[in-house]
């Protein structure tokens, strides 16, 4: 699978509770890992036993080396579009509350990463592509090539971005959360064949043409919700790449994988638990 989009360096502090303004806390644990929607989705795909190539912008800064090493350990192949870039990659400051896995995230994302050349993507043997829209030129180049090659395009819609006006007509499956808002016409009216809406622990709703439905989310004791949505999107894209035309089945699979993620504390501890869930899905 090809996954294209944001890669951050996440500094994750596990805390007993979130600090009040001006308060200092001693964390229970700390981790450093690569993050970002497309990146966490790529880690998921690799953990499920499939090939995962992440196309992103990292650069040559020492912080980028941390993300690159983490992804190599996770089995993700990285195609860096700006390997000589001296500026640091985006950094996310994350706090995860120990008692229920809730998290807060402060991030700069890819606001200042632009102007790099985007080559034609290699889609040979790729069953689906996943985009998060954080690098607009990259997202459009990959989506156009996938559309021309008959490769399904899955969008992690996240928040509204200006590039979506141009990108949505190229998307086959758009997945968004309940708070996501589209200015003007809906996703379906903009030409997206399959629209899926997540709502945390509530059922995931989907619509494909005249068909629609909802799939319940497994009830689990949450240890860590950081990146759970990204994990869900990675599993969804992998199910789409499997070639079966079963939207409810795609959603059910993604729900199972994301539920397994939130059972585990820490940014990577969950990956070892996904082996069985990856069997039969490529």
């Amino acid at each position: 699978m090809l996954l294209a989009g944001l890669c951050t360096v996440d500094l994750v502090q596990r805390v007993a509770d979130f600090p009040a303004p001006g308060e200092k806390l001693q964390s229970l644990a700390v981790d450093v890992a690569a993050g970002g929607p497309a990146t966490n989705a790529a880690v998921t795909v690799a953990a499920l036993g499939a090939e995962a190539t992440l196309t992103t912008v990292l650069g040559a800064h020492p912080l980028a080396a941390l993300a690159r090493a983490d992804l190599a350990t996770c089995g993700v192949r990285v195609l860096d579009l700006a390997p000589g870039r001296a500026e640091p990659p985006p950094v996310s400051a994350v706090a995860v509350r120990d008692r229920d896995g809730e998290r807060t995230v402060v991030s700069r994302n890819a606001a200042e990463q632009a102007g790099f050349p985007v080559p034609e993507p290699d889609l040979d043997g790729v069953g689906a592509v996943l985009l998060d829209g954080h690098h607009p030129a990259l997202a459009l180049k990959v989506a156009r090539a996938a559309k021309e090659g008959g490769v399904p395009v899955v969008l992690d819609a996240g928040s509204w971005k200006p590039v979506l006006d141009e990108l949505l007509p190229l998307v086959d499956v758009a997945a968004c959360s309940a708070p996501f808002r589209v200015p003007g016409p809906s996703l379906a009216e903009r030409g997206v064949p399959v629209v899926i809406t997540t709502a945390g622990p509530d059922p995931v709703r989907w619509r494909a043409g005249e068909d629609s439905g909802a799939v319940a989310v497994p009830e689990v004791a949450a240890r860590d919700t950081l990146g759970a949505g990204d994990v869900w999107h990675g599993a969804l894209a992998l199910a789409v790449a499997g070639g079966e035309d079963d939207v409810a089945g795609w959603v059910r699979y993604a729900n199972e994988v994301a539920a397994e993620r939130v059972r585990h504390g820490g940014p990577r501890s969950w990956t070892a638990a996904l082996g069985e869930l990856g069997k039969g899905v490529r």
Side-chain angles (χ1 to χ4, degrees):
M1 269 194 60
L2 176 64
L3 306 99
L6 181 66
C7 185
T8 67
V9 175
D10 288 358
L11 176 61
V12 185
Q13 302 273 7
R14 195 165 190 91
V15 296
D17 212 337
F18 298 132
E23 182 182 7
K24 293 183 179 180
L25 293 179
Q26 180 75 27
S27 66
L28 304 175
V30 62
D31 290 286
V32 179
T39 298
N40 287 327
V43 170
T44 304
V45 170
L48 289 167
E51 292 186 1
T53 297
L54 173 67
T55 303
T56 188
V57 175
L58 269 175
H61 192 276
L63 285 175
L66 296 176
R68 193 174 283 108
D70 177 44
L71 292 171
T73 300
C74 292
V76 175
R77 175 176 174 261
V78 177
L79 178 58
D80 188 355
L81 299 182
R85 179 183 169 90
E87 293 80 5
V91 176
S92 294
V94 183
V96 177
R97 189 164 58 192
D98 190 58
R99 68 172 181 268
D100 58 3
E102 274 295 339
R103 80 288 187 269
T104 64
V105 181
V106 179
S107 181
R108 183 66 176 158
N109 291 338
E112 297 170 356
Q113 291 180 311
F116 50 85
V118 181
E120 285 294 329
D122 180 6
L123 297 180
D124 186 33
V126 172
V129 300
L130 180 140
L131 313 172
D132 65 18
H134 276 283
H135 293 297
L138 171 61
L140 288 171
K141 180 68 75 73
V142 171
R144 287 167 179 154
K147 203 68 172 178
E148 184 176 336
V151 177
V153 176
V154 179
L155 174 67
D156 175 352
S159 58
W160 179 261
K161 305 172 185 66
V163 70
L164 295 186
D165 279 321
E166 195 172 354
L167 186 60
L168 286 173
L170 303 170
V171 170
D172 297 290
V173 181
C176 55
S177 62
F180 179 78
R181 293 293 178 267
V182 183
S186 68
L187 293 175
E189 291 169 333
R190 288 170 179 263
V192 181
V194 178
V195 178
I196 304 173
T197 305
T198 62
D202 295 329
V204 177
R205 295 179 288 110
W206 61 269
R207 179 173 295 278
E210 298 299 316
D211 295 330
S212 63
V215 181
V217 173
E219 293 186 14
V220 298
R223 291 273 294 124
D224 194 337
T225 60
L226 177 64
D230 305 336
V231 170
W232 189 94
H233 286 97
L236 174 74
L238 185 57
V240 172
E244 293 188 16
D245 187 16
D246 178 10
V247 180
W250 299 344
V251 172
R252 191 172 301 109
Y253 180 69
N255 287 354
E256 292 174 359
V257 173
E260 190 61 44
R261 189 274 170 268
V262 302
R263 287 188 178 101
H264 301 267
R268 294 289 178 260
S269 59
W270 51 274
T271 57
L274 297 191
E276 289 298 316
L277 289 173
K279 290 182 178 180
V281 179
R282 292 291 182 272

